[in-house]
Amino acid sequence: MTEYAVRAEAIRKRYGDTYALDGFDLAVRTGTVHGLLGPNGAGKTTAVRALATLLKLDGGRATVAGVDVSRDPRGVRSLIGLTGQYAAVDEILTGRQNLEMFGRLFHLGGRRAALRAGELLERFDLVEAADKGVGGYSGGMRRRLDLAASMILAPRVLFLDEPTTGLDPRGRGEVWDAVRSLVANGTTVLLTTQYLDEADKLASHITLIDQGRAIADDTPAELKNTVGGDLIEVVVYESRELPAAAQVLARVASAPPGTDPETRRVHAPVADRVAALTEVARELRDRGIAVEDIGLRRPSLDDVFLRLTGRRTEAAPAPEKTEVAA
Ligand SMILES: Nc1ncnc2c1ncn2[C@@H]1O[C@H](COP(=O)(O)OP(=O)(O)OP(=O)(O)O)[C@@H](O)[C@H]1O
Ligand SMILES: [Mg+2]
């Protein structure tokens, strides 16, 4: 078995004047979940489609399980599964019928297709819903069926393009469980996402992509450390009190605080979460600074991105609170 299930070296893909991939590098260790994390338009889907041989490269070199994607695309296709950003299952059919149909598309023959469908329905916890129309499935059930469909031939490498976008927390959790069970069964997974917390939960390694290039490649813990720890965030009632609040935060922070006058928000990374929160709350009260909200949150993709590039991702998601004391 090759050490790297997926390797890309300086790959390029051009659309008109823009390079969607502009010298992108990637190395995915066999048997792991690798996260490809980046904002809208960063090049995630292009990378996945190129590695899955659905797009021709304009430069560079890539291999999947040691097989060159440009020289032997058929060879690569026999080793991989792909679940796209948009689901491919048929609404009219039941879950079981969908899987059997995919099995026959892959020339399994009726009996083997039915057997495989049964196994996959069990593995992805869809036995109860198996004979119901997919039109009535929840978002999480559909994504799991989509995952099952891409597993018909038990691929060595599975590409998942934003498998949980648009799902509620429960649906996301269900998909995460399904991905974990795939990896436990020996599949290597390359997963794209816009959420640091998702990559954090699933991936042992993350590549951050921006404008077609890898701008960071590390473990989730190390990526979060580039921000300098969890963040303490304070919303003051009056923006004129922001500088004073920033001073208070600076005393406990591991990096200079950032302020946003528009939202009356000041935030800074802290090493010791709870002690910092307690001290900041007391100090703000002692100085008579009126506070609308105070809390701790984990670094988001936007925080990591800002630290590495000096820019914000375009659609920064609302900060996710992990604890609130006010
Ligand atoms: N078929 C195409 N024709 C022209 N430009 C394209 C095409 N596909 C992608 N692009 C451009 O290439 C860049 C990368 O797009 P890509 O879809 O790979 O990004 P992404 O990271 O998957 O984004 P998202 O998070 O929105 O899915 C973008 O600037 C996009 O506009
Ligand atoms: Mg995409």
Side-chain angles (χ1 to χ4, degrees):
M1 228 197 269
T2 43
E3 182 180 7
Y4 294 105
V6 180
R7 273 214 95 148
E9 289 162 86
I11 59 174
R12 289 167 167 271
K13 177 70 196 179
R14 192 167 60 126
Y15 292 111
D17 297 340
T18 47
Y19 275 98
L21 294 174
D22 191 10
F24 176 67
D25 295 309
L26 180 71
V28 177
R29 269 182 203 287
T30 300
T32 64
V33 180
H34 192 109
L36 181 57
L37 185 69
N40 285 127
K44 301 181 298 294
T45 297
T46 306
V48 162
R49 290 178 59 84
L51 293 166
T53 76
L54 298 175
L55 289 176
K56 265 207 162 75
L57 290 176
D58 294 318
R61 181 171 177 270
T63 56
V64 174
V67 181
D68 190 294
V69 299
S70 301
R71 280 195 221 131
D72 188 5
R74 282 176 61 112
V76 169
R77 267 173 240 149
S78 70
L79 297 168
I80 63 170
L82 170 68
T83 302
Q85 203 165 350
Y86 309 100
V89 293
D90 189 324
E91 297 236 350
I92 311 272
L93 303 179
T94 68
R96 187 188 306 280
Q97 286 166 338
N98 263 291
L99 293 181
E100 289 180 359
M101 181 189 75
F102 277 106
R104 283 194 300 272
L105 281 177
F106 290 120
H107 311 294
L108 278 190
R111 259 183 57 124
R112 279 184 61 210
L115 260 170
R116 186 70 183 140
E119 281 167 21
L120 289 167
L121 289 164
E122 211 155 295
R123 158 120 45 111
F124 290 97
D125 198 16
L126 288 167
V127 173
E128 264 176 53
D131 299 306
K132 296 185 181 135
V134 170
Y137 280 24
S138 71
M141 288 159 76
R142 288 176 74 114
R143 297 293 172 91
R144 279 182 284 143
L145 184 64
D146 217 36
L147 277 175
S150 61
M151 291 300 293
I152 297 277
L153 295 182
R156 297 253 291 274
V157 181
L158 183 62
F159 296 100
L160 300 178
D161 194 8
E162 300 201 23
T164 66
T165 297
L167 295 185
D168 61 15
R170 176 162 165 213
R172 295 176 80 197
E174 291 169 359
V175 171
W176 292 347
D177 286 343
V179 171
R180 289 190 187 104
S181 106
L182 291 181
V183 177
N185 281 276
T187 301
T188 303
V189 174
L190 177 65
L191 163 125
T192 82
T193 178
Q194 297 189 32
Y195 309 120
L196 179 63
D197 71 320
E198 173 157 298
D200 189 17
K201 292 240 164 51
L202 286 177
S204 52
H205 228 87
I206 294 176
T207 299
L208 199 65
I209 182 172
D210 178 40
Q211 297 177 341
R213 285 171 198 244
I215 58 167
D217 185 84
D218 225 320
T219 61
E222 280 304 316
L223 269 187
K224 282 185 289 175
N225 281 346
T226 62
V227 176
D230 288 348
L231 292 118
I232 185 164
E233 195 166 63
V234 175
V235 183
V236 295
Y237 267 109
E238 312 249 11
S239 2
R240 63 183 165 77
E241 301 214 283
L242 272 179
Q247 263 183 21
V248 171
L249 258 68
R251 293 167 42 149
V252 298
S254 52
T259 55
D260 182 1
E262 209 164 293
T263 56
R264 291 172 280 113
R265 205 174 287 265
V266 53
H267 57 87
V270 291
D272 190 341
R273 296 157 45 89
V274 177
L277 185 63
T278 316
E279 184 172 339
V280 165
R282 194 184 50 224
E283 186 71 21
L284 287 168
R285 191 194 53 214
D286 289 354
R287 295 196 188 193
I289 298 172
V291 167
E292 184 180 306
D293 199 4
I294 178 171
L296 291 162
R297 66 178 171 86
R298 307 239 175 244
S300 64
L301 168 62
D302 196 51
D303 299 313
V304 177
F305 195 80
L306 180 65
R307 182 53 51 121
L308 291 173
T309 65
R311 289 180 288 125
R312 293 205 159 274
T313 62
E314 261 161 42
E320 215 172 287
K321 284 260 165 60
T322 55
E323 228 168 280
V324 178

